[in-house]
């Protein structure tokens, strides 16, 4: 009776292990500069930076982190917010010299973009709308100030770290 119980327990353990091995989940890198880390912390060494669209297999998870393997066999930890369960929509085509043709659903034509307003402020279309809605000048000036701000990647990472946001959350 005892041997039968032990054999049943061993069989169940083997079955669970086999099911776990075959249940690897496929995910895709969904954000720029997705860092494959040596440990499941944002401050650990970066093993490699994976491009958007890279398909990975999840081997295990811990809190907000996945231990993954790339198709080339590299393994490491990645913050779950950098991965998606669906492949990202890649560029559809590059037709002519329309700068925005690869963006799905974009109706903006490159020749319509006013360069001085593409960098800051309202586009021609949104300015027309703002005029029709009598949007006060102070709101437009505030928008110009916000859009003129330049935040470096280092500053962004420090902000996330100090606020314990995203991959820096505990």
């Amino acid at each position: 009776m005892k041997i039968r119980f032990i054999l049943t327990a061993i069989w169940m353990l083997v079955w669970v292990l086999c099911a776990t091995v075959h249940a690897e989940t496929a995910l895709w890198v969904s954000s720029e500069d997705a860092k494959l880390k040596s440990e499941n912390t944002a401050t650990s060494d970066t093993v490699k930076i994976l491009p958007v669209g890279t398909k990975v297999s999840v081997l295990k998870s811990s809190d907000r982190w996945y231990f993954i393997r790339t198709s080339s066999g590299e393994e490491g930890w990645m913050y779950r917010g950098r991965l998606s369960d669906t492949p990202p929509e890649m560029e559809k085509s590059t037709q002519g010299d329309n700068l925005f043709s690869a963006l799905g659903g974009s109706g903006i034509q490159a020749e319509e973009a006013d360069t001085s307003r593409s960098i800051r402020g309202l586009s021609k279309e949104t300015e027309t709308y703002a005029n029709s809605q009598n949007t006060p000048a102070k709101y437009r000036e505030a928008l110009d100030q916000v859009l003129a701000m330049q935040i470096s990647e280092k500053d962004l990472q420090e902000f996330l770290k100090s606020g314990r946001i995203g991959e820096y959350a505990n």
Side-chain angles (χ1 to χ4, degrees):
M1 180 86 167
K2 208 175 196 182
I3 292 177
R4 186 176 188 167
F5 176 76
I6 292 172
L7 289 174
T8 303
I10 291 172
W11 180 83
M12 289 176 62
L13 180 63
V14 169
W15 183 80
V16 167
L17 290 173
C18 289
T20 302
V21 169
H22 294 297
E24 289 180 0
T25 303
L27 296 176
W28 288 264
V29 174
S30 60
S31 65
E32 297 290 330
D33 298 323
K35 296 176 179 128
L36 187 63
K37 303 295 242 168
S38 61
E39 297 176 29
N40 59 344
T41 64
T43 56
S44 68
D45 292 336
T46 299
V47 175
K48 186 173 186 176
I49 296 177
L50 300 178
V52 172
T54 302
K55 185 177 179 181
V56 299
S57 297
V58 176
L59 304 178
K60 63 183 173 180
S61 65
S62 175
D63 294 325
R64 296 177 180 99
W65 293 82
Y66 290 126
F67 187 75
I68 62 171
R69 177 184 301 137
T70 65
S71 59
S72 60
E74 295 156 316
E75 294 181 353
W77 291 92
M78 185 165 289
Y79 179 65
R80 71 176 181 194
R82 304 250 182 208
L83 298 166
S84 171
D85 58 355
T86 57
E89 193 171 312
M90 302 308 275
E91 292 182 358
K92 294 179 180 176
S93 69
T94 51
Q95 300 169 340
D97 39 6
N98 180 350
L99 178 63
F100 300 104
S101 65
L103 298 174
S106 174
I108 300 171
Q109 301 296 314
E111 57 273 4
E112 292 174 9
D114 175 16
T115 9
S116 63
R117 295 216 175 249
S118 297
I119 296 170
R120 43 174 270 256
L122 301 174
S123 70
K124 184 177 180 182
E125 294 82 11
T126 53
E127 185 173 7
T128 302
Y129 177 78
N131 288 335
S132 72
Q133 298 298 311
N134 296 320
T135 303
K138 68 179 183 179
Y139 295 150
R140 295 179 198 198
E141 291 166 8
L143 176 62
D144 281 342
Q145 288 175 355
V146 169
L147 294 174
M149 293 175 153
Q150 301 239 342
I151 300 172
S152 69
E153 180 66 25
K154 181 182 176 190
D155 290 339
L156 175 61
Q157 293 303 319
E158 287 300 318
F159 172 77
L160 294 174
K161 190 184 293 184
S162 69
R164 296 182 181 202
I165 300 170
E167 58 198 286
Y168 296 99
N170 292 341

